[in-house]
Amino acid sequence: AEDRLSSWQEQWDAKRTGWHMRDVSPVLTKHLKELFPADAPGARMLFPLCGKTVDMAFMALNGFNVVGVDGIKEAIYDFAAEQGATETPAPAELPQGVDPARFCGYSVLPKTPEGQEQGVAPQPVTLIQGDFLALGKQEAQSLVPFEAAFDRGSLVAVSPSDRQAYMAALAEVIAPGGKVLLEAFEHDPFHNGRLGPPFEVTEAQLRELCDGRFEVRPLSRKDALDDMPMMREMGVTYFTVCVYILQRMAPAE
């Protein structure tokens, strides 16, 4: 796990975190009804490998119970500084069954944007610092599996050799029938033959990873190279953003 997290720690130490968006993800706002067909304030939502995404604050301000998991402490503190009402995260006790030697809990109440009235009471965001890929059955049962999750650039961020472990952890923490809104990318290699991150994940690869765990339903495909000059600078000749809904199957007895 330390090897897995060390390269990301280097990125945060160098403040190379250009993958974060300033605004709420348009994929999330467009497809939120896919995750929650009815208005569902109070519903629980997971953000795996969350970083400091503003999407967590957006959902919490709309009354959802949000949990984010990330291995980098700076991500949690940056989220609190940028989105929190108090600018520092408060320690939060995690349920029994989640090993305190491997996972730390924090709570951040998001601040309401100026001039914006909230129709519902904002909920605190729970942030768990630790290796998401190390979440197993015991931790998942302690946290209580989630009915929804948003994977924006998480699966594509992990090394291809870690994808099975990532998907196994995701399957553990999503309740049967629960849905994951997932954003994946298709692209050719970067300069010098580097494959990622973000790594390409094709629909065929995603279906193979989800086999026996999730049903896969494509929602959209968009050629995004013209919208992402950074990718063109990195040497790719095509960059397609692919959005899917994954629905958790009932685990085999």
Side-chain angles (χ1 to χ4, degrees):
E2 285 186 15
D3 288 348
R4 199 156 45 219
L5 297 174
S6 62
S7 63
W8 291 106
Q9 185 66 62
E10 288 170 13
Q11 300 287 337
W12 280 90
D13 289 346
K15 303 201 180 301
R16 291 192 298 264
T17 57
W19 61 86
H20 283 107
M21 295 165 65
R22 283 185 198 165
D23 300 316
V24 176
S25 164
V27 168
L28 178 60
T29 53
K30 180 179 180 181
H31 297 295
L32 192 54
K33 288 287 184 191
E34 292 281 354
L35 292 177
F36 301 104
D39 286 337
R44 300 171 70 245
M45 186 166 180
L46 175 72
F47 285 79
L49 310 189
C50 60
K52 60 175 183 176
T53 177
V54 65
D55 298 337
M56 294 189 291
F58 167 76
M59 293 301 293
L61 285 167
N62 281 285
F64 291 83
N65 285 303
V66 172
V67 176
V69 184
D70 203 280
I72 307 299
K73 188 175 185 178
E74 286 84 351
I76 292 166
Y77 276 76
D78 280 6
F79 175 79
E82 295 172 16
Q83 308 297 336
T86 60
E87 298 188 356
T88 54
E93 196 170 324
L94 295 176
Q96 276 190 325
V98 179
D99 183 357
R102 296 189 299 150
F103 297 98
C104 298
Y106 299 89
S107 180
V108 176
L109 184 67
K111 62 187 174 190
T112 303
E114 282 182 37
Q116 200 172 314
E117 285 188 26
Q118 294 303 124
V120 295
Q123 298 298 311
V125 175
T126 299
L127 293 156
I128 301 174
Q129 183 198 341
D131 182 8
F132 178 78
L133 279 64
L135 288 173
K137 192 176 290 290
Q138 177 180 310
E139 289 85 7
Q141 288 174 348
S142 298
L143 291 168
V144 183
F146 293 81
E147 53 210 278
F150 183 34
D151 175 329
R152 180 199 162 258
S154 301
L155 175 62
V156 297
V158 301
S159 168
S161 62
D162 284 329
R163 283 178 185 168
Q164 281 288 353
Y166 173 84
M167 199 56 77
L170 188 62
E172 289 287 6
V173 293
I174 300 298
K179 295 177 180 177
V180 180
L181 179 63
L182 183 140
E183 194 174 354
F185 308 131
E186 296 178 8
H187 63 82
D188 45 352
F190 299 124
H191 287 312
N192 307 323
R194 195 168 63 82
L195 299 177
F199 295 94
E200 176 178 69
V201 177
T202 65
E203 183 177 335
Q205 289 171 326
L206 181 62
R207 288 186 181 278
E208 187 178 339
L209 285 166
C210 289
D211 187 36
R213 295 169 173 149
F214 294 95
E215 294 172 1
V216 178
R217 179 161 57 93
L219 292 181
S220 65
R221 292 174 61 86
K222 182 188 178 191
D223 178 359
L225 192 58
D226 289 341
D227 303 333
M228 305 184 78
M230 183 172 72
M231 289 300 162
R232 197 186 291 276
E233 288 166 18
M234 291 168 72
V236 303
T237 61
Y238 66 92
F239 193 86
T240 307
V241 176
C242 309
V243 181
Y244 302 90
I245 281 284
L246 314 182
Q247 186 157 18
R248 181 73 170 108
M249 298 174 178
E253 292 295 326

